[in-house]
Amino acid sequence: MAHLVAQTRDAGLPVLRLETGIKSFAALRFYRRSGFRDRPAFEPYASLPPHRIAASAFLERTMP
C-alpha cells in the first residue's frame, strides 16, 4: 500500500480511489486502516444500474 500511495502522490494525483466487495471484510478493514474512507460510487461505476454495483464498496484516500 505504501508503494501505491507513493506512486499516486508522485504522479501528482489528489486522490486514490478503489472498489471492492462489501463482503471483503479483511480488505475493507485493511483499506480503512490505511486511510481510506467510504464514498459514493465514482465513474465508471456510478453510471451502471444500481443492481450492478449493489455488492460493491467504494473508498477513497486523499493525498497529503
Side-chain angles (χ1 to χ4, degrees), residues 1-7 9 30 61:
M1 180 60 65
H3 181 70
L4 181 59
V5 168
Q7 285 187 314
R9 188 180 310 115
F30 173 75
R61 175 179 168 169

Side-chain angles (χ1 to χ4, degrees), residues 13-54:
L13 299 172
V15 65
L16 179 56
R17 292 184 177 137
L18 62 87
E19 178 272 339
T20 192
I22 59 174
K23 293 184 179 180
S24 298
F25 303 114
L28 287 166
R29 279 191 304 275
F30 173 75
Y31 295 136
R32 289 175 178 139
R33 282 193 318 261
S34 297
F36 286 84
R37 300 292 172 246
D38 294 325
R39 60 149 293 135
F42 47 84
E43 292 299 339
Y45 303 99
S47 295
L48 294 173
H51 72 276
R52 295 277 310 274
I53 59 171

